[in-house]
Amino acid sequence: QVQLVESGGGLVQAGGSLRLSCAASGRTFSDYAMGWFRQAPGKEREFVARISWSRGSSTYYAELVKGRFTISRDNAKNTVSLQMNDLKPEDTAVYYCAARYFSGTYNSEDYKYWGQGTQVTVSS
């Protein structure tokens, strides 16, 4: 079992930045690929970014956030972060971190463990 707790959401103006964090507990954190997903009202949950297991040497991003968001992990602290810069109103959503044993994917259904989500609101 892996428990995930997100933090760092909030209200920010367009063009601003936020840093989301996800604290993990329960299993060997480095064995899990980590992903960030988001869900806006009335929309399906969508992939945002993911980072490979172990040292996190591979990262992947949705086209909509590429160049603006950066995912990273700190295995010593059992955390994964999402640095979000140049935020846009369309980034408004509940952001979730998720864990999948060993290899990550772009599909939310492949992830077994989820946090409760943190709200990000970007005003225009």
Side-chain angles (χ1 to χ4, degrees):
Q1 194 79 358
V2 176
Q3 293 80 41
L4 303 172
V5 179
E6 302 99 333
S7 61
L11 174 64
V12 64
Q13 289 188 331
S17 298
L18 280 175
R19 185 176 180 88
L20 305 183
S21 292
C22 175
S25 62
R27 291 284 182 93
T28 304
F29 179 68
S30 59
D31 288 346
Y32 289 80
M34 301 298 297
W36 285 97
F37 293 80
R38 68 186 182 186
Q39 188 167 19
K43 295 187 177 181
E44 293 187 354
R45 190 169 297 187
E46 65 176 3
F47 168 78
V48 175
R50 65 181 174 95
I51 188 166
S52 60
W53 71 293
S54 186
R55 291 175 293 177
S57 57
S58 298
T59 57
Y60 308 84
Y61 299 92
E63 283 299 320
L64 289 175
V65 307
K66 196 173 293 185
R68 300 188 297 122
F69 290 12
T70 303
I71 188 171
S72 60
R73 67 188 298 155
D74 185 338
N75 290 339
K77 296 182 179 179
N78 286 3
T79 59
V80 60
S81 298
L82 186 69
Q83 177 66 42
M84 306 186 294
N85 298 328
D86 190 23
L87 283 161
K88 306 175 185 301
E90 51 264 40
D91 294 318
T92 296
V94 177
Y95 284 70
Y96 299 88
C97 72
R100 185 174 191 267
Y101 182 70
F102 187 56
S103 63
T105 74
Y106 299 101
N107 188 349
S108 62
E109 295 183 356
D110 293 334
Y111 289 76
K112 182 175 182 179
Y113 302 106
W114 291 84
Q116 82 289 349
T118 186
Q119 176 71 48
V120 171
T121 303
V122 184
S123 63
S124 57

